[in-house]
Amino acid sequence: MPGPLDRFTDDNRAVFALSSMVLRQAENNRTFAKHSSLMIELCYCRIVDNFLTFLSDFLVHLFKLRPEMLKSNEKVDVAFILEHNSLDTLLSSIIERKVISLSFEGMRAIARYFDDRLKLPLFSDEAHLQTAVLAIEIRNLYIHNRGIVKRHFKDRVPSLTCSIGERIDITQGEIYSALVNALADVATSLSSAAAEKFGPSVI
């Protein structure tokens, strides 16, 4: 069965194929050209979603292999335990609950969790973390505000030069490829580090 990195890579390969086709068609087709930016934005959002799904899949896979890593002072209700008829189903539910909880805490909190609890750095330095935060914030801006910059966005990613009310164009310059490649590098580096620390079955 494909591991988290394989699924991430396969999903992105399909998205890249679609975006490449759109760009080729846009060169000679006015209809494609008119809507090519929208298609690239959709592809970009899907790639960022693939990265976030990869992190969730990675954690689920790791915790199932090494359930002792879930140990913490967090409380579990007796009623929650009694809903399960086996230790395996209980463990699966605890893993799912933990991963969902982390997914709502933001990339910086997830990075801290990897550093502090798993002893597995998610990013090599602050610059890589900021790049991932920027990638996700741009995705959120497309999803929730049609790509139009709000004060909240500027506060979250002050490194990006933009104005409130401006629409972020992911197709301009190298921003699309830079952010997408950065997320792919994080996934690959994390998988390599995990395989070295926990064994190849992790990836």
Side-chain angles (χ1 to χ4, degrees):
M1 177 180 290
L5 182 61
D6 290 331
R7 290 193 293 271
F8 173 73
T9 302
D10 289 344
D11 286 345
N12 281 354
R13 188 177 291 117
V15 176
F16 289 144
L18 174 61
S19 61
S20 296
M21 181 196 72
V22 169
L23 291 175
R24 286 196 305 272
Q25 292 293 328
E27 293 176 359
N28 302 305
N29 185 300
R30 289 184 178 180
T31 301
F32 270 90
K34 180 180 179 181
H35 300 294
S36 61
S37 292
L38 174 60
M39 286 298 299
I40 297 303
E41 290 168 9
L42 293 173
C43 288
Y44 172 79
C45 290
R46 178 56 183 264
I47 289 171
V48 176
D49 287 345
N50 285 343
F51 175 73
L52 296 174
T53 301
F54 160 77
L55 291 181
S56 295
D57 287 348
F58 176 87
L59 286 172
V60 168
H61 193 57
L62 178 61
F63 288 149
K64 285 184 176 179
L65 291 173
R66 304 288 294 271
E68 69 275 10
M69 299 186 74
L70 280 167
K71 289 181 180 178
S72 71
N73 294 323
E74 296 178 26
K75 305 297 183 182
V76 178
D77 294 336
V78 173
F80 175 80
I81 296 174
L82 294 177
E83 290 174 1
H84 302 83
N85 54 20
S86 72
L87 183 59
D88 285 342
T89 59
L90 174 60
L91 179 60
S92 293
S93 292
I94 291 174
I95 291 172
E96 180 183 9
R97 189 165 75 168
K98 182 60 181 178
V99 171
I100 290 174
S101 172
L102 280 171
S103 69
F104 284 107
E105 292 186 23
M107 187 50 59
R108 291 186 179 278
I110 293 174
R112 283 195 299 272
Y113 184 85
F114 271 81
D115 285 339
D116 298 341
R117 294 296 307 278
L118 305 184
K119 306 303 180 186
L120 192 66
L122 185 54
F123 302 101
S124 58
D125 54 36
E126 177 65 21
H128 284 91
L129 171 56
Q130 289 181 2
T131 299
V133 170
L134 173 60
I136 292 167
E137 289 299 328
I138 290 177
R139 174 265 183 201
N140 293 343
L141 197 65
Y142 279 131
I143 296 296
H144 300 295
N145 205 45
R146 300 185 299 280
I148 299 172
V149 175
K150 302 185 294 184
R151 169 62 62 185
H152 177 73
F153 176 83
K154 282 187 65 65
D155 291 343
R156 296 288 290 269
V157 287
S159 61
L160 184 66
T161 302
C162 58
S163 303
I164 295 175
E166 173 187 353
R167 193 174 192 281
I168 298 294
D169 185 356
I170 199 71
T171 65
Q172 295 297 310
E174 300 296 324
I175 189 169
Y176 175 88
S177 58
L179 294 179
V180 166
N181 289 337
L183 296 182
D185 288 345
V186 170
T188 302
S189 298
L190 174 64
S191 298
S192 297
E196 184 176 342
K197 184 177 179 69
F198 302 112
S201 58
V202 172
I203 61 173

